[in-house]
Amino acid sequence: MKTLDDATQTLSTQALSTQTLVHLQQRLSDWLGLPGWILLPIAIVLLAAVADLVLYFVLGRLEQRLVRSPRRWDDPFLHALRLPLRWWIWISALMIGTGVIGAHLGVTALTGFLFKSGALITLLLLAWSGIRLIRRLEQRLVFPPVNCRARPVDQTSASALTKIVGAVLIVTLILIGLQILGVSMSSILAMGGFGGLVIGFAARDVMANFFGGMVVHLDKPFVVGDWIRSPDREIEGMVEDIGWRLTTIRTFAGPPLYVPNAWFSQISVETPTRMVNRRLWETVGLRYQDAGAIEAITGDIRQLLKHHDEIDQDELITVNFTTFGQYALEIMLYAFTRETDWQRFHEIKQEILLKVRDIIEKHGAELALPASRLYLPEGVGIRRDGDAEPGSAAHGGDQADSAAGGETHGEETHRKETRGEETRGIEKDRDTRARRTRARPGPSEDDAGTGDADA
């Protein structure tokens, strides 16, 4: 029954519009003496052009003024309507002109088609306008005008609010569009209940990520721009965007990391950006020979930390000798800096450690290094290379001379043996040549003559 009433109302609206257009055609035809079905489309197009020019100049200048307004709501509404309204004027003019021509030519089905198409196009332009409004509002929420007294909203909250409003707007326009196309709303709702169960079962991971994003937006364990990390997963970096399904994290190595929102309900997340102090926790080792200076050294280091400008005096400051290590006497330094920036913290840490080194050297102590000590029984020593054996000191000069003489005699003997080997080698070579000459056959007379001639 409701569908029949809607159809009747639509037909009555179309009939009223048709009667109005016919009346305008007759008036133009009587006034100018030309066919009304030609004059009316031309007049509508000209009227649309004039309206477009007026809106272009008026809305453009008005928007420039409203940008400087202290209220954050003035500029977004005008920005949202300016372009979609101009497009709507032109599309409406073209469709009305096309309908007039079609009615004159007897194409009756064209009127209903243009009426539905115009309604759907109007919904699309409304959706476009709503999206422009939401985006501009998000900018104004995060960055309010200069003279605005309202506090800025964090980007995560503004993004969540605009996404929810945008989703509601799109769903509403889709339902209205389906109703224009003749789809019953009761059927849509009935199918929506059953379809919701099917879709929820088939896309449970997507739904889990969607609700995970909702929880992140509501609880705000982190926001866009925060540095986060998880001890349960290899996740660390700066948050760039929190979507409905994924959260984008820019890792310190450079590549982006896309994390499903459902993970954040299963893992623990640290937000170092929100820390108010950074902890300085170091262990300094001294040699066992410097055990007597430990008390004085720890006292000076404690005074250093208590009078340092970058150390938070409201937090715990501890400097104590803690344990006898394997090769060092270990002193613990424990304090908190006011600075939370990572780079600046390490500069402060370097400054403090260098001053600790100076304190240790001032007391005549040294930093410990890994070393081992070897204990030998009495009567056992270690002889290095080149050291004289025990009991040989009285004959040291004679042994040196003998060694020098022996070395000289050995060199002479070696040279003589070398010369003898060379001499024997030469004699052996001569004997070999003589044997080869005797074994060679003597030359004939012809050969002799040839040889003399050659000579």
Side-chain angles (χ1 to χ4, degrees):
M1 187 67 181
K2 187 176 180 180
T3 306
L4 181 60
D5 293 339
D6 294 339
T8 304
Q9 185 178 0
T10 302
L11 291 175
S12 62
T13 304
Q14 294 178 7
L16 181 60
S17 302
T18 304
Q19 291 177 3
T20 303
L21 293 176
V22 170
H23 180 69
L24 290 175
Q25 290 182 38
Q26 292 177 357
R27 294 290 298 273
L28 288 174
S29 179
D30 295 340
W31 183 35
L32 298 175
L34 294 175
W37 66 275
I38 296 177
L39 293 175
L40 185 58
I42 296 175
I44 292 173
V45 171
L46 292 176
L47 184 62
V50 173
D52 182 46
L53 289 175
V54 171
L55 290 176
Y56 176 75
F57 288 104
V58 173
L59 296 182
R61 292 188 177 182
L62 185 60
E63 184 179 3
Q64 291 178 359
R65 291 187 177 183
L66 291 179
V67 167
R68 298 186 293 270
S69 174
R71 293 180 295 273
R72 65 175 71 181
W73 311 107
D74 298 340
D75 171 41
F77 283 102
L78 188 60
H79 173 77
L81 292 174
R82 189 163 60 91
L83 283 180
L85 183 60
R86 293 174 60 191
W87 275 91
W88 182 81
I89 289 174
W90 277 107
I91 292 174
S92 300
L94 293 176
M95 296 187 71
I96 291 173
T98 303
V100 171
I101 296 174
H104 176 75
L105 297 177
V107 185
T108 57
L110 183 61
T111 304
F113 174 75
L114 290 175
F115 183 81
K116 289 185 178 182
S117 300
L120 294 176
I121 291 175
T122 302
L123 289 178
L124 291 177
L125 293 176
L126 285 175
W128 182 24
S129 178
I131 292 173
R132 288 169 59 87
L133 174 63
I134 289 170
R135 290 180 177 177
R136 181 57 65 92
L137 282 177
E138 183 177 355
Q139 295 178 0
R140 288 291 180 263
L141 288 174
V142 179
F143 305 104
V146 179
N147 299 325
C148 183
R149 297 182 180 180
R151 295 181 179 179
V153 181
D154 64 276
Q155 188 173 357
T156 304
S157 301
S159 176
L161 179 61
T162 53
K163 285 176 181 177
I164 292 173
V165 174
V168 172
L169 176 64
I170 296 300
V171 171
T172 303
L173 293 178
I174 289 174
L175 293 177
I176 295 174
L178 293 175
Q179 190 174 8
I180 291 173
L181 293 175
V183 180
S184 175
M185 292 297 297
S186 58
S187 301
I188 295 174
L189 295 176
M191 290 297 297
F194 178 74
L197 293 176
V198 175
I199 294 174
F201 180 77
R204 55 184 180 273
D205 293 336
V206 176
M207 298 301 294
N209 292 325
F210 174 79
F211 286 107
M214 289 287 294
V215 171
V216 170
H217 282 299
L218 293 175
D219 292 345
K220 295 182 182 178
F222 53 84
V223 296
V224 175
D226 279 353
W227 166 22
I228 66 171
R229 64 188 175 199
S230 173
D232 302 329
R233 300 267 187 171
E234 294 183 0
I235 299 174
E236 185 173 10
M238 305 298 294
V239 179
E240 288 190 343
D241 180 62
I242 303 174
W244 291 117
R245 193 178 71 87
L246 296 172
T247 294
T248 305
I249 299 173
R250 179 70 60 177
T251 62
F252 294 121
L257 180 65
Y258 302 97
V259 182
N261 290 330
W263 283 18
F264 295 112
S265 61
Q266 304 172 3
I267 62 176
S268 57
V269 178
E270 298 178 1
T271 309
T273 305
R274 299 181 183 179
M275 67 173 65
V276 294
N277 299 99
R278 275 191 177 272
R279 183 177 64 178
L280 175 65
W281 189 2
E282 295 293 328
T283 300
V284 179
L286 300 181
R287 302 178 306 172
Y288 273 86
Q289 296 91 320
D290 305 322
I294 286 182
E295 188 174 356
I297 291 173
T298 54
D300 289 351
I301 296 175
R302 189 179 298 109
Q303 292 300 320
L304 167 67
L305 296 179
K306 286 184 177 181
H307 293 88
H308 200 285
D309 296 335
E310 298 294 340
I311 298 298
D312 191 352
Q313 304 301 322
D314 296 332
E315 297 292 338
L316 177 64
I317 298 177
T318 300
V319 181
N320 291 103
F321 168 59
T322 55
T323 185
F324 294 95
Q326 293 183 356
Y327 60 90
L329 304 172
E330 296 182 357
I331 299 175
M332 180 185 68
L333 281 67
Y334 191 87
F336 291 87
T337 63
R338 293 191 178 95
E339 184 63 50
T340 58
D341 180 70
W342 186 82
Q343 180 66 28
R344 177 59 183 154
F345 167 75
H346 281 281
E347 293 175 358
I348 297 170
K349 179 180 177 180
Q350 172 182 310
E351 177 189 353
I352 292 175
L353 291 179
L354 291 178
K355 289 184 178 180
V356 169
R357 179 205 59 186
D358 296 339
I359 291 173
I360 294 173
E361 292 178 352
K362 183 181 70 173
H363 289 277
E366 294 182 10
L367 295 172
L369 295 175
S372 299
R373 177 172 294 181
L374 181 63
Y375 295 94
L376 299 176
E378 295 182 359
V380 178
I382 298 176
R383 183 168 61 88
R384 300 177 182 177
D385 295 339
D387 292 346
E389 295 183 2
S392 61
H395 304 284
D398 296 340
Q399 291 178 356
D401 295 339
S402 300
E407 183 179 356
T408 304
H409 177 71
E411 291 178 356
E412 292 179 355
T413 305
H414 177 68
R415 284 195 292 269
K416 289 179 181 180
E417 291 177 355
T418 303
R419 292 194 193 99
E421 291 178 357
E422 292 177 355
T423 304
R424 287 193 296 271
I426 293 172
E427 292 177 354
K428 185 177 180 180
D429 188 24
R430 288 176 179 175
D431 294 341
T432 303
R433 291 178 180 176
R435 285 195 299 271
R436 290 179 179 175
T437 302
R438 288 193 300 269
R440 185 186 304 168
S444 62
E445 295 180 356
D446 297 335
D447 294 335
T450 303
D452 293 339
D454 292 338

